Amino acid sequence: MKIIASNFKTNHTRASTKKFINEVDSYLKQQNINNQVFIFPTATALDSFDTVSNLFIGTQNAYFTKNGSFTGEIGTEQLDEFGIKTILIGHSERRHILGEIQKDIALKYNYYKELGYKIIYCVGEPLDVKESGLTETLSYIWEQFEGIDLDYENLILAYEPVWAIGTGVTATTDDITVVHQNIKQKINKPLLYGGSVKPANLDEILNIPNVDGALIGTASWEVESFTKMIDIASKIK
Ligand code: PGA
């Protein structure tokens, strides 16, 4: 069954997040949909949400600590307050805009792995690397797995080419096919695709071999659009 995930990034308030989650939860119940659905709200909108068991609320980020002096960060003390046990790690915006380096990403990964979190771990190449060819693209991606235990049972991967994120440019079916096939040959974990996924292209993307779901930003922020994509995913074997 395909997995559908929404990354809110820096969008929605506490109030609109609550409304959104309640609506998605009701939709899953009413339509009797059992696909795994993930929502990653902003840290300020995290809360104890009472949802169906296949709807997971996660944090977009947290530091590898329980608490301490890490200005601007949150740790597990803050996540435990709301029973959050799911985290997004390695997203390209954290790597390329916020400057997270692989060493720290691996420390974060290991910390949350030890605590049994469900981890959605993102990889993907920038445009100049893609333009250098497949060999360069794959070696760039393998470096993003450095220090990451790929046997971890609660691991979900996401391939998100940086040039396709928030740009409206979706990778072609061929681009997705070849990278997903290469990753799957090495790593036997669910593998999502992300990068300008929307209701109009989701069905085609989910039908590409080795695509186990989608991680969606922009097109997931309106609940009608997100539930439409959940519906599309629920109809695929
Ligand atoms: P996008 O973002 O759907 O807006 O391209 C995807 C992501 O960053 O996870």
Side-chain angles (χ1 to χ4, degrees):
M1 265 197 296
K2 305 294 178 182
I3 299 166
I4 292 292
S6 166
N7 175 5
F8 275 16
K9 307 191 179 184
T10 319
N11 299 283
H12 277 293
T13 60
R14 269 185 87 72
S16 68
T17 297
K18 189 168 188 231
K19 186 162 178 278
F20 184 103
I21 291 173
N22 285 338
E23 285 175 16
V24 172
D25 185 57
S26 306
Y27 185 81
L28 293 173
K29 260 185 234 155
Q30 277 158 15
Q31 305 294 318
N32 214 357
I33 292 176
N34 297 316
N35 297 60
Q36 288 185 48
V37 174
F38 291 84
I39 299 172
F40 294 91
T42 64
T44 61
L46 293 178
D47 210 334
S48 307
F49 295 101
D50 181 20
T51 65
V52 288
S53 61
N54 53 317
L55 175 56
F56 301 91
I57 309 303
T59 186
Q60 293 173 26
N61 182 44
Y63 201 64
F64 39 96
T65 190
K66 176 170 183 251
N67 52 27
S69 299
F70 306 99
T71 301
E73 296 284 327
I74 60 169
T76 41
E77 187 172 290
Q78 289 74 38
L79 297 171
D80 286 348
E81 184 178 13
F82 304 124
I84 304 286
K85 279 292 203 182
T86 302
I87 186 168
L88 197 59
I89 297 181
H91 190 276
S92 78
E93 285 151 15
R94 297 217 52 90
R95 291 179 189 267
H96 299 289
I97 302 176
L98 285 313
E100 269 187 29
I101 58 169
Q102 189 59 30
K103 183 173 98 10
D104 289 342
I105 292 171
L107 285 171
K108 186 184 291 190
Y109 181 91
N110 284 315
Y111 181 82
Y112 285 95
K113 181 193 100 173
E114 289 304 316
L115 294 172
Y117 274 60
K118 263 185 197 302
I119 299 175
I120 297 193
Y121 185 76
C122 308
V123 297
E125 82 289 359
L127 186 59
D128 60 318
V129 175
K130 176 190 166 44
E131 286 174 343
S132 315
L134 181 62
T135 310
E136 286 74 9
T137 297
L138 292 174
S139 66
Y140 188 93
I141 291 171
W142 302 143
E143 279 173 23
Q144 294 182 317
F145 285 124
E146 235 169 65
I148 304 300
D149 172 9
L150 298 169
D151 291 325
Y152 178 46
E153 58 181 346
N154 291 326
L155 170 62
I156 296 173
L157 301 174
Y159 168 57
E160 299 201 299
V162 179
W163 47 272
I165 295 179
T167 57
V169 180
T170 318
T172 64
T173 300
D174 286 352
D175 288 330
I176 301 173
T177 304
V178 69
V179 175
H180 273 243
Q181 187 187 352
N182 274 281
I183 295 176
K184 276 282 197 174
Q185 262 165 19
K186 285 205 175 191
I187 311 164
N188 183 24
K189 290 290 167 188
L191 177 57
L192 316 182
Y193 168 77
S196 299
V197 174
K198 49 186 186 243
N201 61 22
L202 181 68
D203 186 63
E204 185 180 339
I205 290 169
L206 291 182
N207 277 296
I208 298 172
N210 300 312
V211 173
D212 301 307
L215 174 55
I216 309 151
T218 317
S220 71
W221 302 334
E222 299 256 334
V223 77
E224 292 74 23
S225 170
F226 190 54
T227 50
K228 191 166 181 191
M229 291 189 280
I230 292 171
D231 179 57
I232 293 167
S234 74
K235 297 200 163 98
I236 301 174
K237 284 267 165 293

